[in-house]
Amino acid sequence: MSSSSFGPESLQRAPRGEGAGHIDYRLARRHLVNEFKRGRLSRRDICDAHPELVRAANNMGQATSEVCPICEDDDLVLVSFVFGPRLPAHGRCVGSREELAKLASRSGERVCYVVEVCPGCSWNHLVRTFALELTSR
Ligand SMILES: [Zn+2]
């Protein structure tokens, strides 16, 4: 890894989708997990969560009851980051729906990235991205 800076590209393993194109993150995830189970990928290849991401998962993550597909030891944690104008370049880690709603109520284009992280083995994968819509004016 050449860069230790944290940004959207730290969260997104798949190439960026074009415009309205839809990326099926679940499909990409299943592919990675299968490759790992077949021994074509090692933990080193796929359990590479940025330290910042692991910290966010531990501090502000949303626990799930889904077990990590790689180590099958820990439950996955969902972390949401919002990127956009007047937000830090590394994004704002959002810990609650209220905070997300507050960010959505401001003008400007903002995108939310939801990433699943395993605090145990550092597996991480993008679950979804969505634009924060301006909910009220
Ligand atoms: Zn794990």
Side-chain angles (χ1 to χ4, degrees):
M1 299 298 143
S2 56
S3 166
S4 64
S5 73
F6 187 70
E9 54 294 336
S10 307
L11 304 173
Q12 196 166 17
R13 199 187 298 277
R16 198 174 279 268
E18 286 297 325
H22 176 74
I23 299 173
D24 192 334
Y25 299 120
R26 300 310 284 184
L27 206 66
R29 175 192 196 267
R30 192 150 14 115
H31 176 73
L32 277 176
V33 172
N34 282 342
E35 290 292 279
F36 171 73
K37 299 234 152 113
R38 289 188 194 124
R40 292 195 198 140
L41 288 173
S42 68
R43 281 198 191 192
R44 187 189 286 264
D45 295 320
I46 53 178
C47 298
D48 57 353
H50 194 284
E52 219 30 71
L53 187 56
V54 176
R55 193 168 346 151
N58 285 325
N59 294 332
M60 306 182 74
Q62 219 184 318
T64 75
S65 54
E66 193 179 344
V67 82
C68 170
I70 305 305
C71 67
E72 294 173 349
D73 246 357
D74 280 280
D75 285 344
L76 296 171
V77 175
L78 294 179
V79 190
S80 303
F81 286 90
V82 177
F83 297 89
R86 294 190 298 282
L87 289 174
H90 55 270
R92 168 82 62 81
C93 182
V94 177
S96 69
R97 279 181 194 286
E98 290 74 27
E99 204 181 343
L100 199 61
K102 208 196 281 181
L103 282 169
S105 70
R106 295 196 212 155
S107 63
E109 203 171 292
R110 294 188 175 78
V111 182
C112 186
Y113 285 67
V114 182
V115 188
E116 65 177 38
V117 183
C118 172
C121 72
S122 292
W123 154 258
N124 62 113
H125 201 269
L126 191 59
V127 177
R128 60 181 171 269
T129 65
F130 56 93
L132 285 186
E133 306 282 352
L134 201 55
T135 48
S136 60
R137 275 174 188 273

